[in-house]
Amino acid sequence: MTTDPRLFATVAAQPWHDIWRGDIRQWILTSGLRIVLLLIGAVLAARFVNWLARKVTERLDVGFAESDALVRSEATKHRQAVASVISWVSVVLIAIAVVVQLADILNISVKGLVAPATVVGAALGFGAQQLVKDLLSGFFIIAEKQYGFGDLVELTILGSPTDAAGTVENVTLRVTKLRSPDGEVFTVPNGQIVKSVNLSKDWARAVVDIPVSTTSDLNLVNDVLRQECEHARDDEVLGELLLDAPTVMGVESIEVDTVTLRLVARTLPGKQFQACRELRVLVVRALARAGIVTAVDTRPTVGAIASTAEQETQEPTK
């Protein structure tokens, strides 16, 4: 007996043909298509939110780069932090909306999930306490404007022996990212922050200690320093960093062979360290012109100490 291959293929394909023309085809063309469109729309919406937040950040960066300001304003730093938080929250809300819509399309009864969700929520609540703490702490950091993008901060972390210091690169409701002067990135959960010290809030203070020998004429030293403070803002570099003229505070400490005088100045936020370096250069030059010997100049060098010790050991043999 011979079998027609075409008849066999028709018989084999008949069940799949019946299935496709049945409920599966109807579900794919209705619910399945809605699910695909919903997922595509959610992905596009999330990408649009991230693109919009990135454009806002780039516009703030361009505005700062085109301006004559050396530092970002407090409003700019806060807007950049808020844009990052809004984009993160928007993506989370989009994900929640998609889950709810999928449950509706798949005819999953939300009422039937209330009791299991309560049990699961109670169980997860103990494990998610730190997450909730991080989110609440991040909300208050943004709302209270404790620090923002570009701020120089020192964060005291719970249970950590050292503080995390650096420039804020990103602030979300959950974490704060810092870039240290060595290029390291610290990711600190907001709930672990015990104390935050903002070193670039509105303005900063440059503090310069000048050690001089106890044999120096302090009246002459004070006169030289005051003259330099009066003309400090005339300097091309230092004048852009200072908000007002530096002030000589007087004698800060006295040691056996050293008297330390202190000089302070208000600077642009985050520019206190650069201002300190420029002020030290001016002070050293001014004291050198006046012939004032600093405490560093009075200390013998290693070569001088070795030479003196050699002479002392050779004298008894003469």
Side-chain angles (χ1 to χ4, degrees):
M1 183 178 64
T2 60
T3 303
D4 189 354
R6 290 177 296 178
L7 178 61
F8 178 78
T10 303
V11 173
Q14 187 66 31
W16 295 102
H17 184 268
D18 295 339
I19 293 174
W20 171 249
R21 295 186 60 86
D23 296 337
I24 292 181
R25 177 175 179 272
Q26 184 67 22
W27 185 89
I28 291 176
L29 294 178
T30 55
S31 300
L33 185 59
R34 288 180 59 191
I35 291 174
V36 172
L37 294 177
L38 181 63
L39 294 177
I40 294 175
V43 172
L44 293 178
R47 292 178 66 89
F48 174 76
V49 169
N50 291 328
W51 174 83
L52 191 62
R54 188 167 59 252
K55 285 297 181 182
V56 171
T57 301
E58 291 176 355
R59 185 171 183 178
L60 293 175
D61 290 338
V62 170
F64 169 69
E66 293 178 350
S67 66
D68 296 332
L70 295 179
V71 295
R72 299 174 184 269
S73 64
E74 294 298 324
T76 301
K77 292 185 288 188
H78 182 65
R79 290 191 191 113
Q80 204 151 352
V82 170
S84 176
V85 171
I86 290 177
S87 65
W88 185 83
V89 173
S90 300
V91 172
V92 173
L93 293 178
I94 290 172
I96 294 175
V98 169
V99 171
V100 173
Q101 290 293 327
L102 288 176
D104 182 57
I105 294 174
L106 298 175
N107 295 324
I108 299 176
S109 177
V110 179
K111 295 181 180 179
L113 297 176
V114 172
T118 303
V119 177
V120 174
L124 294 178
F126 294 100
Q129 287 181 2
Q130 185 59 48
L131 177 61
V132 175
K133 184 179 179 181
D134 294 341
L135 296 178
L136 290 177
S137 299
F139 171 78
F140 285 110
I141 288 173
I142 300 299
E144 296 172 359
K145 300 181 181 180
Q146 296 182 18
Y147 52 80
F149 179 84
D151 276 334
L152 181 62
V153 299
E154 292 180 357
L155 304 180
T156 302
I157 305 173
L158 181 65
S160 177
T162 58
D163 295 344
T167 304
V168 178
E169 286 198 343
N170 193 15
V171 183
T172 65
L173 288 180
R174 199 183 72 83
V175 297
T176 296
K177 292 185 178 181
L178 304 180
R179 175 79 65 174
S180 71
D182 297 330
E184 302 171 335
V185 177
F186 295 99
T187 302
V188 183
N190 294 328
Q192 297 291 326
I193 300 174
V194 179
K195 181 180 68 174
S196 63
V197 179
N198 194 333
L199 302 178
S200 57
K201 183 74 171 178
D202 298 329
W203 57 273
R205 173 166 289 171
V207 180
V208 178
D209 289 335
I210 305 110
V212 297
S213 174
T214 52
T215 59
S216 301
D217 186 355
L218 294 184
N219 291 328
L220 177 60
V221 174
N222 283 323
D223 291 340
V224 172
L225 294 179
R226 290 192 180 95
Q227 290 178 4
E228 288 300 316
C229 290
E230 292 176 358
H231 300 90
R233 301 195 69 181
D234 297 335
D235 185 82
E236 182 178 356
V237 177
L238 190 57
E240 296 181 351
L241 305 177
L242 298 177
L243 296 178
D244 48 26
T247 303
V248 179
M249 303 300 294
V251 177
E252 179 65 21
S253 63
I254 301 176
E255 298 179 4
V256 176
D257 57 352
T258 304
V259 177
T260 302
L261 291 86
R262 174 161 292 184
L263 186 149
V264 299
R266 284 200 320 142
T267 70
L268 292 173
K271 297 297 181 180
Q272 63 268 36
F273 304 109
Q274 183 179 355
C276 283
R277 291 190 290 268
E278 298 294 334
L279 282 173
R280 291 190 188 100
V281 173
L282 293 182
V283 168
V284 170
R285 290 176 179 175
L287 294 179
R289 288 194 301 267
I292 299 173
V293 179
T294 62
V296 177
D297 297 330
T298 61
R299 296 173 184 173
T301 61
V302 176
I305 294 175
S307 177
T308 304
E310 183 179 356
Q311 293 177 1
E312 291 179 352
T313 56
Q314 293 177 355
E315 283 180 358
T317 60
K318 291 182 182 180

